Amino acid sequence: MPSAIEILGFLTGAGSVWLYARQRVAAWPLGIANSLFWLVLFWRSRLYLDSGLQGVYVALGLLGWYCWRRDDHLPVTRTLPRQAAVLAAIVVVGSAGLWAIEARWTDSAMPGWDSSTTVVSLVAQYMLTRKLLGSWWLWIAVDIAYLAMYASQSLYLTAALQPVFIALCLQGRRDWRRTLTPAVA
C-alpha cells in the first residue's frame, strides 16, 4: 500500500512533468513540492543519493523558475558539442565518484544505480532549466532505470509513474522540437 507521501509525490510529479512539457512556468513550484515529498520517501527507502538529489532539485527548481519567469521566451535550443562533452564528463566522473563514496560509507540499497541515476538526473534537470532539447532523452533513460530501481525497493506507485514520465518526455521532446531555436556557437 503506497504511503500518503508516495501518493503526493506521484500526483505532483505527474503534474509537473506535464507542465514542463508544455513550457509552463507553473511546472517549477509543483516540481519543488514533488521534490520535497520524494526527499522524505527516498530517505526512508535508503536511496540516500536519490533523496539528496531531491534537495538539489529544490534549488534547481528555484533557478528554473527564475530563468523561465525572467525570460518569458527562453528559447528551446540544442546542446552545443562542447557543452555535451562537459555534461558527459560530469556524468561519468560524478557517477563513479558517488558510487565509490556511497558503497564505502553508507548502507545504500543500490549504490551503483543510485549514483548514476542521481548524476544523470542532475544533468537532465540543469538542461531542463536552460530548455536544452536533449534533456528529454536523458530523462527517458533515467526513468527507465528508475522504474527498475523503485520496483526493487517496493515503491510500486513511484515505479508505475515512470512509464507516464516516459510518455510525457516523448511528448515534451516533440513539442519542444517544434519551437526549437538553432544554437549559436
Side-chain angles (χ1 to χ4, degrees):
M1 181 72 149
S3 67
I5 290 175
E6 188 174 13
I7 292 168
L8 290 169
F10 179 96
L11 295 172
T12 56
S16 66
V17 174
W18 185 79
L19 290 169
Y20 289 127
R22 283 157 184 72
Q23 299 184 54
R24 302 285 192 255
V25 173
W28 294 104
L30 195 58
I32 290 168
N34 171 251
S35 294
L36 293 171
F37 292 127
W38 279 354
L39 184 146
V40 174
L41 178 69
F42 298 148
W43 185 265
R44 289 179 180 169
S45 299
R46 293 185 3 236
L47 297 171
Y48 303 120
L49 290 176
D50 220 21
S51 179
L53 176 62
Q54 302 308 311
V56 175
Y57 279 166
V58 170
L60 287 173
L62 293 169
L63 174 65
W65 196 359
Y66 169 78
C67 289
W68 284 28
R69 281 187 54 86
R70 180 189 59 143
D71 186 352
D72 262 352
H73 303 291
L74 181 66
V76 174
T77 59
R78 293 190 189 277
T79 309
L80 297 170
R82 184 183 314 177
Q83 215 176 6
V86 168
L87 295 173
I90 289 169
V91 166
V92 171
V93 172
S95 295
L98 285 178
W99 186 349
I101 290 167
E102 195 172 31
R104 170 95 168 113
W105 299 103
T106 75
D107 64 343
S108 173
M110 305 178 80
W113 285 67
D114 198 15
S115 61
S116 60
T117 55
T118 295
V119 177
V120 173
S121 294
L122 281 170
V123 168
Q125 187 71 6
Y126 165 76
M127 292 172 70
L128 187 71
T129 66
R130 305 308 312 146
K131 286 192 178 178
L132 296 173
L133 183 63
S135 67
W136 295 110
W137 289 123
L138 290 182
W139 282 123
I140 290 166
V142 84
D143 288 338
I144 291 167
Y146 277 142
L147 184 120
M149 191 167 93
Y150 297 149
S152 76
Q153 296 302 301
S154 301
L155 299 172
Y156 299 117
L157 184 60
T158 305
L161 183 57
Q162 303 315 303
V164 173
F165 280 169
I166 292 166
L168 289 170
C169 288
L170 290 168
Q171 177 186 343
R173 185 187 181 285
R174 185 187 68 238
D175 292 348
W176 281 30
R177 194 163 190 258
R178 287 187 193 130
T179 64
L180 182 65
T181 302
V184 260

